[in-house]
Amino acid sequence: MPRTMTELPPLAERVHVLESGDAQVLALPTPIDRVVSFEGSFSTVPDFAAGEETIQHLAVRLLDKGTTRRDRFALAEALEDRGAELSFTADGLRCRFSGRCLRDDLPDVLQIAAEQLRAPLFDDAEFEKERARHAAALRRALDDTGSQARAALARRMYAPAHPNYRADPADELVFLQGLTVDDVRAFHANHFGARNLQVVLVGDLDPHAAGDAVRRSLGDWMVATRRGSFETAATPLTPGREDVPMPDKQNLDVRIGLPLALRRDHADYLPLYVGTYVLGGNFSARLMTRVRDEQGLTYGIGARLGGIAVEHDAYFVTSVTLSRENLDRGIEATLAEISRFAEGGITDEELDEKQTTLKGIFRVGLATTGGLAQALLTNAERGFDVAYLDRFPERIEALRVESINDAVSRHIDPLRLHLAVAGTLHAPLR
Amino acid sequence: MQSPNPIAHDAYTFVRTSGGIAEYRLDSNGLQVLLLPVAAAPVVAFMVTYRVGSRNERAGLTGATHLLEHLMFKGTERYNKDRGTSIFPTLQRVGALLNATTWLDRTNYYELLPSEHLELAVEIEADRMRNARIRDEDLDSERTVVLNELDRGENDPMRKLVHAVSAAAFFAHPYGHPTIGWRSDVERVTAEGLRHFYDTFYWPDNATASVIGDFDAEEALDLLARHFGAIPSAPDHFEFPVTDEPPQIGERRVTVRQAGQLGSVLMAFKGPAGLTHEADALDVLAVVLGGGKSSRLYRHLTDRGITTGTYAWMPRLRDPGLFYVFANLAPDVEHASAEEAIWEVIDGVIADGVTETELTRARRQLLADEAYGRDGAFAIASQLNEAIAVGDWTLYTEYLSRLEAVTPDAIREAARRTFNRDRLTVGHYLPVLPEATAAEAA
């Protein structure tokens, strides 16, 4: 057997945890040459029922369109002159920033990120342009079978106040037209700040110097004053199917799912996660083996747990892509596999195989600075300590088939499944 | 990166080192072997790149390379479902991330896995190099899988636009047909046809095996010799003539109509082959034109509300390819307006070239991209794969020094030669509103 040349101590021994009030900085030096990846996030909690998630999206998109100190082009040049990457995203309850840069540029890049987060310009003209771009993106989403099926399923399971709800793009277009730049300014003033701020830095760095750089740029950022409200549980419709007819889409996207009374810190989470992986987690999972490999009905099929958080419930979803002539057979075959899974659970052999797989994937996923930064951030956002990541493979290994099958039978009820189908359902009448 | 000391090994001839990568040739059959030890994490990437892609396909066999790639996962006499040793489960069981990709000039199979399992990946790749089961029954089920993949692509008007533009730009050269193939060929190809394709191209002397990550170089050479060493070299020399594309003299235009909301413009200029220095200049130019929010296309089109996104890109290929400029139109913007705005940007470069500031910024972006591209064995393998496909893997290791040599004059000259209206193919995606499509269908 080939030797492993790199023996790494546990992450808990390598990650430097630097605390500062409500904020936490995690710094991890790795052997890569010159590169530093960084990820950060903070809690914003928009009022979902009031449509503030759309306002949050616009606020995030406008962060690189100028600050009170420099215009949008000066910002872009400052980053691109350093070859640095920096992006901002909104993800329900939190806003995130992430990027990469060369080692010597880290203090400058963090300073630019902080400037954008803390002192955005929110110029009237830029707001109008960004609103037009978002409107265009929503119109393009109307053409995408995957987006349409995903959103249709979410609407069957959740009310607008739940973070896992997805608005109909057509409705969001109407809402968008009623917004003003003042809505964005107010949202930023009230919701952006260092509440539960987490910053992770990984790569060719000195941990203390990196921590100082974060402190200099974000150390005195105030905690936001307002938190919106959201529902934590699903309010599903009666189980059933929703079709989203779309012309010229011979490949249809199908989503089959159900809401779970389950959060990331629930004792059933890991058993159900592993069970779902056996059903549809990779190429050798049951769905790929039966529906793709044996029956040739689809190019892509899989199952996973989605909308995972410690603050609200998650859901179970199976995704399958089907050509129109195979739609009914494909749905039937997929439902049959889900029912077999729900009723019969998994076997010892399957568990044994997937335990090894998941431990290996976990190791492989932590082999880049970006992968490490993302894993450390997600872990920190959930309130878990760094050692949780070190213990994760052992926790997977400790699972027994009985606990997995108990969790599957408790949470996956085929009679509660919802279906959403998007694409061209019937042949054109020519 | 420091170059490793060559290892003297009975089974190999040492060829050269560059950028930390050592090249060896397996003497028994000509397999090219590239080793890049990176001790950053206890994982390793193993990749076999075959120098065969849709460029090697003839009429009636389009899509064969890709369909064959799918069938390669159906296994061999040793690794197959009947024996409970299918390739995917066998490798995924040890935590491997694996897959394969097919493109114009190459097909690659890769595994990223914990280092102690490297031998399993080597053994399987060596086995399926010459022992793949390419059976009618496997083709039957996999054909519908690929047809579904094709349907997925057809859902996307952008993909249709790229296919239409490529087909119009290349009359004779096989870059004109999509890698996934034309539907009728995918529907009709036989296992025998694929077997012939396999027997023509899947040989060690038409392949490169790359090992990147956490491994001991001497052990890796032993492993590869043990598993690949007994495979014979190809029975014939590799001489696969590909039709030269005749010079294009005159602009070509194509239109794609499909249900949708917003239009797009794709302009494709005939460009140079990937190993030329002109391609270096065009790489830098592509960044000046479309690399980020300070780029010329962003400032002149997206920032002014003409487009919602633009990009400029020239994939580096073995034979002369295309330099693409792409624009997604904003609502209520005519295709002609966007095209005119793109020409204003291009004409500016032709007339005045690029500034030293732009050149410095673009180089810095490419320098950083190169450093980012070394973050993880898989990222390195992906880039190395494309350099192998172009015809010289040192394109990857020497990329930065090649870019350093690019001057403003070279960029301007490359722009003048490339952005020639007679060598241009323009594609428009004209969205048909869903209501109109429904009325037409009725």
Side-chain angles (χ1 to χ4, degrees):
Chain A
M1 180 176 283
R3 281 176 289 164
T4 296
M5 308 299 288
T6 311
E7 295 293 341
L8 295 174
L11 281 169
E13 292 176 21
R14 291 185 287 142
V15 173
H16 296 250
V17 182
L18 313 161
E19 313 246 3
S20 170
D22 200 30
Q24 179 176 250
V25 180
L26 305 179
L28 172 61
T30 67
I32 190 166
D33 183 33
R34 291 175 294 156
V35 175
V36 178
S37 289
F38 55 90
E39 298 257 352
S41 76
F42 49 97
S43 172
T44 49
V45 193
D47 186 330
F48 289 86
E52 282 191 347
E53 202 178 6
T54 301
I55 302 172
Q56 174 171 265
H57 174 84
L58 285 174
V60 163
R61 297 285 299 177
L62 283 166
L63 292 178
D64 65 358
K65 301 303 184 302
T67 66
T68 53
R69 288 180 48 202
R70 41 188 157 185
D71 71 16
R72 59 197 185 282
F73 294 126
L75 278 176
E77 287 168 3
L79 290 167
E80 289 163 18
D81 283 348
R82 293 169 172 83
E85 296 173 356
L86 172 62
S87 63
F88 300 92
T89 53
D91 183 16
L93 301 170
R94 304 179 73 85
C95 284
R96 294 201 169 88
F97 56 98
S98 63
R100 290 190 289 197
C101 62
L102 299 181
R103 176 189 53 222
D104 297 342
D105 295 325
L106 181 64
D108 290 347
V109 173
L110 287 174
Q111 199 65 50
I112 295 166
E115 181 184 325
Q116 291 180 249
L117 286 166
R118 300 175 65 173
L121 187 59
F122 293 139
D123 173 68
D124 286 347
E126 290 304 310
F127 169 79
E128 291 303 333
K129 281 194 265 183
E130 197 51 52
R131 178 162 62 177
R133 278 187 210 115
H134 188 45
L138 290 170
R139 289 178 63 177
R140 289 190 200 282
L142 287 169
D143 293 339
D144 183 62
T145 51
S147 298
Q148 291 282 41
R150 192 163 49 245
L153 178 70
R155 288 193 295 277
R156 291 196 65 82
M157 300 192 293
Y158 297 104
H162 195 287
N164 288 341
Y165 177 80
R166 291 290 168 269
D168 184 325
D171 294 339
E172 200 176 344
L173 271 168
V174 174
F175 180 76
L176 187 66
Q177 294 315 313
L179 296 178
T180 68
V181 71
D182 288 335
D183 295 319
V184 175
R185 287 182 183 137
F187 184 85
H188 180 269
N190 293 327
H191 292 263
F192 272 49
R195 185 190 297 281
N196 191 224
L197 173 68
Q198 306 283 345
V199 182
V200 178
L201 308 126
V202 180
D204 186 359
L205 55 83
D206 169 76
H208 296 289
D212 287 345
V214 175
R215 247 177 250 119
R216 276 197 301 277
S217 52
L218 289 166
D220 58 348
W221 199 16
M222 302 296 286
V223 170
T225 54
R226 196 173 296 173
R227 279 171 61 89
S229 59
F230 59 94
E231 287 183 7
T232 58
T235 47
L237 303 175
T238 304
R241 167 172 164 167
E242 180 162 333
D243 291 339
V244 185
M246 299 169 68
D248 277 354
K249 305 294 180 191
Q250 299 308 310
N251 171 72
L252 294 98
D253 263 287
V254 179
R255 299 287 182 277
I256 303 171
L258 54 81
L260 302 167
L262 184 82
R263 301 185 189 185
R264 179 59 182 81
D265 48 2
H266 191 288
D268 281 352
Y269 175 80
L270 271 189
L272 193 60
Y273 165 72
V274 174
T276 304
Y277 200 89
V278 170
L279 174 68
N282 65 4
F283 258 86
S284 53
R286 286 187 187 181
L287 287 170
M288 281 296 266
T289 303
R290 302 285 166 86
V291 186
R292 172 174 157 150
D293 203 35
E294 292 175 8
Q295 301 178 62
L297 291 170
T298 178
Y299 174 71
I301 186 167
R304 65 183 179 90
L305 304 183
I308 301 156
V310 289
E311 297 93 343
H312 57 76
D313 291 350
Y315 57 87
F316 161 87
V317 65
T318 293
S319 309
V320 56
T321 162
L322 296 162
S323 295
R324 188 161 43 78
E325 62 272 22
N326 291 323
L327 180 64
D328 294 338
R329 276 203 304 150
I331 291 175
E332 195 181 326
T334 306
L335 285 171
E337 282 307 316
I338 297 172
S339 293
R340 189 167 75 87
F341 169 67
E343 287 154 15
I346 66 168
T347 65
D348 284 316
E349 294 72 30
E350 286 175 319
L351 175 59
D352 180 52
E353 179 191 324
K354 295 305 184 216
Q355 280 172 324
T356 322
T357 300
L358 286 166
K359 285 186 294 176
I361 286 176
F362 184 73
R363 195 202 301 184
V364 168
L366 298 182
T368 64
T369 60
L372 277 162
Q374 201 166 50
L376 286 165
L377 179 68
T378 305
N379 194 59
E381 286 175 351
R382 290 169 176 165
F384 301 163
D385 61 9
V386 174
Y388 180 88
L389 291 173
D390 292 318
R391 293 193 302 272
F392 186 77
E394 297 159 27
R395 293 174 65 116
I396 294 288
E397 187 64 37
L399 289 171
R400 295 290 165 263
V401 87
E402 294 76 19
S403 65
I404 291 173
N405 289 344
D406 285 350
V408 169
S409 68
R410 260 196 300 280
H411 294 281
I412 310 294
D413 176 359
L415 297 176
R416 289 176 48 234
L417 286 169
H418 296 262
L419 266 80
V421 180
T424 303
L425 291 148
H426 306 289
L429 304 169
R430 290 190 188 278
Chain B
M1 184 174 281
Q2 199 175 3
S3 290
N5 292 325
I7 294 169
H9 194 293
D10 290 346
Y12 295 88
T13 299
F14 169 76
V15 180
R16 57 182 165 167
T17 62
S18 174
I21 298 177
E23 177 186 349
Y24 297 85
R25 190 177 62 250
L26 190 55
D27 293 331
S28 60
N29 55 31
L31 177 72
Q32 184 183 49
V33 174
L34 303 178
L35 303 183
L36 176 57
V38 184
V43 301
V44 64
F46 181 62
M47 174 173 72
V48 177
T49 306
Y50 292 94
R51 290 181 279 280
V52 56
S54 53
R55 173 182 180 274
N56 301 96
E57 295 167 348
R58 305 285 183 268
L61 265 181
T62 66
T65 322
H66 173 251
L67 197 43
L68 178 59
E69 173 227 297
H70 275 240
L71 282 188
M72 292 288 283
F73 287 93
K74 295 291 185 180
T76 64
E77 290 306 322
R78 256 180 92 192
Y79 292 98
N80 62 62
K81 189 171 185 175
D82 306 330
R83 299 181 60 176
T85 54
S86 291
I87 290 174
F88 261 112
T90 300
L91 281 163
Q92 287 187 327
R93 172 181 275 272
V94 300
L97 295 178
L98 68 149
N99 214 327
T101 72
T102 307
W103 203 26
L104 300 165
D105 295 324
R106 52 66 181 169
T107 309
N108 69 316
Y109 299 81
Y110 61 84
E111 293 82 20
L112 179 64
L113 72 175
S115 299
E116 62 270 27
H117 299 297
L118 172 61
E119 181 160 15
L120 181 62
V122 172
E123 189 176 344
I124 287 175
E125 291 303 348
D127 190 36
R128 68 174 162 178
M129 179 175 272
R130 289 303 319 141
N131 299 320
R133 295 203 298 185
I134 299 167
R135 307 182 306 176
D136 287 326
E137 57 264 44
D138 291 331
L139 177 59
D140 287 345
S141 63
E142 206 57 27
R143 192 196 309 275
T144 51
V145 169
V146 172
L147 286 171
N148 181 236
E149 186 182 0
L150 203 145
D151 278 343
R152 281 163 57 118
E154 292 289 294
N155 268 13
D156 178 6
M158 301 311 123
R159 187 173 294 209
K160 274 189 173 167
L161 188 60
V162 170
H163 289 174
V165 165
S166 300
F170 293 105
F171 285 160
H173 192 281
Y175 286 164
H177 72 259
T179 296
I180 198 167
W182 298 120
R183 174 175 285 274
S184 62
D185 290 346
V186 176
E187 286 172 342
R188 288 177 200 149
V189 69
T190 62
E192 189 186 345
L194 294 181
R195 163 65 66 180
H196 178 73
F197 207 76
Y198 176 72
D199 286 340
T200 307
F201 293 104
Y202 279 61
W203 296 96
D205 39 343
N206 194 37
T208 303
S210 307
V211 191
I212 300 151
D214 175 41
F215 65 93
D216 177 82
E218 200 157 348
E219 280 184 0
L221 287 175
D222 286 344
L223 274 183
L224 268 78
R226 189 152 68 240
H227 294 288
F228 283 93
I231 302 172
S233 53
D236 303 308
H237 287 295
F238 283 100
E239 291 293 339
F240 305 108
V242 170
T243 310
D244 289 341
E245 182 66 22
Q248 178 177 343
I249 306 170
E251 186 177 298
R252 299 169 190 169
R253 287 188 168 264
V254 292
T255 299
V256 169
R257 277 164 50 90
Q258 185 172 343
Q261 297 280 333
L262 300 170
S264 307
V265 171
L266 177 61
M267 298 167 72
F269 298 89
K270 288 278 167 57
L275 285 180
T276 60
H277 288 292
E278 190 176 5
D280 299 336
L282 290 171
D283 271 359
V284 178
L285 179 55
V287 175
V288 172
L289 289 177
K293 293 190 171 76
S294 69
S295 69
R296 292 197 181 195
L297 286 168
Y298 184 88
R299 285 172 184 254
H300 197 65
L301 281 89
T302 304
D303 190 63
R304 291 168 61 209
I306 297 170
T307 55
T308 58
T310 54
Y311 75 81
W313 181 49
M314 194 193 71
R316 298 183 76 137
L317 303 174
R318 186 164 167 172
D319 297 328
L322 296 171
F323 187 108
Y324 296 101
V325 179
F326 177 79
N328 267 329
L329 305 191
D332 305 321
V333 173
E334 298 291 330
H335 292 73
S337 308
E339 230 182 280
E340 191 181 334
I342 291 169
W343 270 114
E344 286 164 6
V345 170
I346 289 173
D347 285 340
V349 175
I350 292 171
D352 304 319
V354 301
T355 65
E356 276 293 344
T357 305
E358 286 176 317
L359 178 58
T360 304
R361 182 176 301 139
R363 276 194 189 136
R364 181 74 177 180
Q365 285 177 263
L366 291 162
L367 168 84
D369 283 347
E370 196 274 341
Y372 303 154
R374 288 191 177 254
D375 187 2
F378 180 71
I380 295 170
S382 301
Q383 295 169 88
L384 187 58
N385 184 48
E386 301 310 338
I388 294 166
V390 178
D392 182 356
W393 62 268
T394 65
L395 181 62
Y396 169 64
T397 53
E398 292 177 4
Y399 190 57
L400 281 184
S401 58
R402 292 176 68 126
L403 294 184
E404 285 297 322
V406 171
T407 63
D409 285 347
I411 294 174
R412 192 170 172 197
E413 181 55 29
R416 280 183 178 155
R417 281 171 54 88
T418 305
F419 298 139
N420 177 336
R421 287 176 193 260
D422 277 347
R423 291 154 55 88
L424 168 64
T425 303
V426 183
H428 286 181
Y429 163 50
L430 297 176
V432 182
L433 289 173
E435 299 79 31
T437 315
E440 194 178 304

